[in-house]
Amino acid sequence: MIARLICGALLGIDAYKVELEIDYTKAGMPVFVMVGLAEGAVKEAKERVFTAVRASGFKLAPAKITVNLAPADRKKGGSAYDLPLAIGLLTASQTIAPTLNLEKIFFAAELSLNGTLRPVTGILPLALLARSLGMEAMIVARENACEASIVEGLTVYGLDSLTDVLDFVCEKACFTPAEHVQAEEWQHYDMDFSEVKGQEEAKLALEIAAAGGHNLLFIGSPGSGKTMLAKRIPTILPGLTFEEALEVTTIYSVSNKLSTKRLVTVRPFRSPHHTVSEIALIGGGSYPKPGEVSLAHRGVLFLDELPEFSRSSLEVLRQPLEDGFVTISRSAQSLTYPASCMLIAAMNPCPCGYYGDKNHACTCTSQQLARYRAKLSGPLLDRIDLHIEVPSVQFEDFQGEFKGKDSASMKKRVEDARTIQKDRYAGTNCHTNADISGAMLEKYCFLEQKEHAFLSKAVDKLALSARSFTRILRVARTIADLDAQERILVPHIALAIQCRALDRTMKN
């Protein structure tokens, strides 16, 4: 007899349909054959499944068993095939007689040797696949039920053992489906910009970056507050929409980094150490997983001490910063991970950290300074829209009551600017000013004669690259949006140029 069930496999952060077919015949020599490009964990399922079946009180007669995983030209990995394989074996051998249509139930769980169900990674994309296939139910381990129930319109059952699953498909017992998970609170942060004293220019730069989705580099002496400012950026970004939250949660599900097993409702903030490898940064590996730049999708990737990162690690960031996704090519397949994030970086002005500091003397030679800044390539810096100098905070700034910008007021300005951009770019692939290029740049960043002459003079004097010119226009467009101005004016261009400190210092 042949049994057929539906399950799924992961490709990047997406899942695709896998048909599991089992042919069980007592004729011929007893043998177990699995075909369909099954990888290590899938092949090892045989031992787990047969032991779990025996532990659940069933005995399979010796037979010739052929298991096919279709489509046969795609690799299948992971342990989520244990449960459908066990159900298929018991059905094909006529050990059980399911009363439910197995082809309308999506199974995804690992089996322990005593027959209990264990959770698997990537259950959210599998649940999305089950819904798209029109499955009547999805059966997972109880620990995965909360995550799978994020998907609205899908009936999810979190069960404890293989015996429970058999009772379900044979309708010998009733089980209560998991409740659909609702986000309890979309945004909650334990920090605020009101706690930052001084640094009003840096706060303004962060407003600009958040409003237009621009990348930003802080340059300042140790202790000037670069990290403290960066950590508060998510507090002024617009809240995640449900679709964006689902994207982020899917990435974390595939990476096995969902701590609460619920919908991610706050924008990610990732801060890898400067010793991070290229693979850890952009993803990949023997068993490909999303890297830090993808884990920061829809949020912030913060790179502290930027020149301390290896040159090769920084260079691999160029494609995701420009395109918003990472493509990892292998001989057998090519994977694409989303990587639409804001890059916020921080660095000292020199190796000793005190170049240009009013309170400390710099001990670096000109050669040391040149070597330090040469660690950052021109193409990478061109992809960073804002270069902001962060001076040391003076002692007087800590005295008395401080009434600076708080996150709520900054977020309101950012959201207003984002609303303007949403209306402006409706019907296009652009979402923020950082996305516009080509003909759209000419259309939406059009300059009158006075503004054009001002920018041309600045470009000639600073010897800016074409990409720097584009960045300045985008930033000026964002500043105009923050001022609710339809046209880009000279003050907007001047502030945009002022926000690119390295264009001025590195030409000198």
Side-chain angles (χ1 to χ4, degrees):
M1 178 180 176
I2 296 179
R4 181 175 177 271
L5 295 90
I6 304 299
C7 45
L10 296 176
L11 181 63
I13 66 167
D14 298 317
Y16 63 89
K17 177 182 175 182
V18 173
E19 296 181 10
L20 190 150
E21 299 172 315
I22 301 175
D23 178 45
Y24 188 101
T25 177
K26 295 180 180 179
M29 292 291 292
V31 65
F32 183 94
V33 179
M34 181 178 287
V35 296
L37 287 184
E39 295 188 332
V42 184
K43 292 180 179 178
E44 292 171 355
K46 172 190 171 184
E47 304 303 329
R48 292 192 298 270
V49 168
F50 277 97
T51 305
V53 167
R54 287 196 302 270
S56 300
F58 299 94
K59 185 177 181 180
L60 294 174
K64 180 181 179 181
I65 303 171
T66 304
V67 178
N68 179 42
L69 298 170
D73 60 344
R74 287 186 172 186
K75 289 185 178 181
K76 289 90 180 176
S79 56
Y81 303 97
D82 287 12
L83 180 57
L85 179 58
I87 300 297
L89 283 171
L90 291 170
T91 302
S93 64
Q94 299 183 336
T95 306
I96 63 170
T99 56
L100 296 178
N101 184 358
L102 295 182
E103 294 186 27
K104 284 295 183 179
I105 303 174
F106 195 98
F107 300 92
E110 180 182 329
L111 286 174
S112 64
L113 297 184
N114 63 1
T116 59
L117 303 189
R118 286 179 171 171
V120 296
T121 60
I123 206 68
L124 180 55
L126 291 174
L128 291 169
L129 172 66
R131 183 181 65 178
S132 69
L133 294 174
M135 291 290 149
E136 295 176 355
M138 181 178 187
I139 297 180
V140 297
R142 189 171 297 277
E143 294 87 342
N144 279 147
C146 187
E147 180 183 338
S149 60
I150 291 172
V151 180
E152 192 172 4
L154 178 66
T155 304
V156 177
Y157 292 90
L159 304 183
D160 296 312
S161 66
L162 177 59
T163 304
D164 288 344
V165 179
L166 297 176
D167 289 342
F168 177 87
V169 299
C170 296
E171 296 185 289
K172 292 182 178 180
C174 294
F175 298 91
T176 303
E179 293 184 5
H180 173 60
V181 174
Q182 297 288 343
E184 299 175 355
E185 186 174 5
W186 282 101
Q187 295 280 352
H188 175 71
Y189 297 100
D190 297 325
M191 54 186 68
D192 195 279
F193 271 107
S194 61
E195 302 162 346
V196 181
K197 295 189 174 183
Q199 305 296 12
E200 293 304 298
E201 292 183 1
K203 288 183 182 180
L204 174 59
L206 289 174
E207 268 189 7
I208 297 170
H214 303 289
N215 301 321
L216 181 148
L217 171 63
F218 279 137
I219 308 163
S221 304
S224 58
K226 303 185 294 295
T227 302
M228 179 174 61
L229 287 163
K231 287 182 177 179
R232 285 161 174 76
I233 294 173
T235 68
I236 64 173
L237 291 172
L240 287 171
T241 64
F242 181 79
E243 291 74 18
E244 290 175 335
L246 203 58
E247 289 178 7
V248 175
T249 308
T250 300
I251 295 171
Y252 277 71
S253 173
V254 170
S255 305
N256 197 25
K257 294 184 180 294
L258 270 184
S259 56
T260 62
K261 302 301 179 183
R262 292 179 177 269
L263 196 68
V264 175
T265 58
V266 296
R267 292 191 179 270
F269 182 90
R270 303 293 300 182
S271 180
H273 192 260
H274 61 77
T275 56
V276 66
S277 67
E278 297 174 38
I279 291 177
L281 195 57
I282 67 164
S286 302
Y287 298 94
K289 294 288 185 182
E292 290 290 337
V293 69
S294 294
L295 292 170
H297 181 61
R298 302 298 183 190
V300 176
L301 176 66
F302 177 54
L303 303 183
D304 201 6
E305 304 296 341
L306 187 64
E308 300 304 322
F309 286 78
S310 69
R311 179 99 180 211
S312 58
S313 295
L314 293 179
E315 290 305 303
V316 298
L317 286 176
R318 287 162 58 175
Q319 186 228 347
L321 290 181
E322 193 73 20
D323 301 331
F325 60 85
V326 173
T327 300
I328 300 171
S329 298
R330 296 291 184 267
S331 58
Q333 62 182 354
S334 179
L335 302 177
T336 298
Y337 295 119
S340 180
C341 64
M342 284 179 59
L343 172 65
I344 306 297
M347 61 178 284
N348 294 331
C350 66
C352 77
Y354 294 109
Y355 179 80
D357 190 278
K358 296 179 180 179
N359 303 317
H360 300 83
C362 175
T363 60
C364 301
T365 65
S366 57
Q367 291 81 3
Q368 289 175 321
L369 180 60
R371 282 197 301 269
Y372 181 74
R373 292 190 172 179
K375 292 181 180 180
L376 306 179
S377 68
L380 176 65
L381 290 176
D382 278 346
R383 286 169 171 79
I384 300 178
D385 300 350
L386 307 170
H387 315 145
I388 305 300
E389 293 178 330
V390 183
S392 299
V393 179
Q394 301 302 310
F395 180 76
E396 301 82 52
D397 294 334
F398 291 102
Q399 303 305 300
E401 184 179 357
F402 178 76
K403 296 181 180 179
K405 294 180 179 179
D406 61 3
S407 293
S409 62
M410 295 171 69
K411 183 176 180 178
K412 178 63 169 58
R413 280 171 47 81
V414 168
E415 289 178 334
D416 290 345
R418 287 281 184 112
T419 300
I420 293 173
Q421 294 167 59
K422 181 180 178 180
D423 294 339
R424 179 190 297 136
Y425 305 129
T428 71
N429 293 327
C430 294
H431 301 286
T432 61
N433 291 328
D435 300 329
I436 59 176
S437 60
M440 293 185 66
L441 190 71
E442 296 179 5
K443 178 180 179 181
Y444 296 113
C445 298
F446 177 77
L447 301 179
E448 298 289 349
Q449 184 176 359
K450 179 181 178 182
E451 287 75 23
H452 189 274
F454 179 84
L455 181 56
S456 297
K457 184 176 180 180
V459 168
D460 291 340
K461 184 176 180 179
L462 297 174
L464 300 178
S465 68
R467 186 173 279 118
S468 295
F469 172 81
T470 299
R471 302 290 175 181
I472 290 172
L473 275 182
R474 291 173 179 170
V475 173
R477 178 67 271 173
T478 300
I479 297 170
D481 290 341
L482 285 168
D483 286 346
Q485 294 286 338
E486 185 175 349
R487 285 184 52 233
I488 298 176
L489 305 176
V490 168
H492 303 147
I493 299 173
L495 181 54
I497 295 173
Q498 186 179 344
C499 289
R500 290 186 64 85
L502 292 181
D503 285 339
R504 303 190 302 273
T505 59
M506 294 187 77
K507 306 297 181 185
N508 296 333

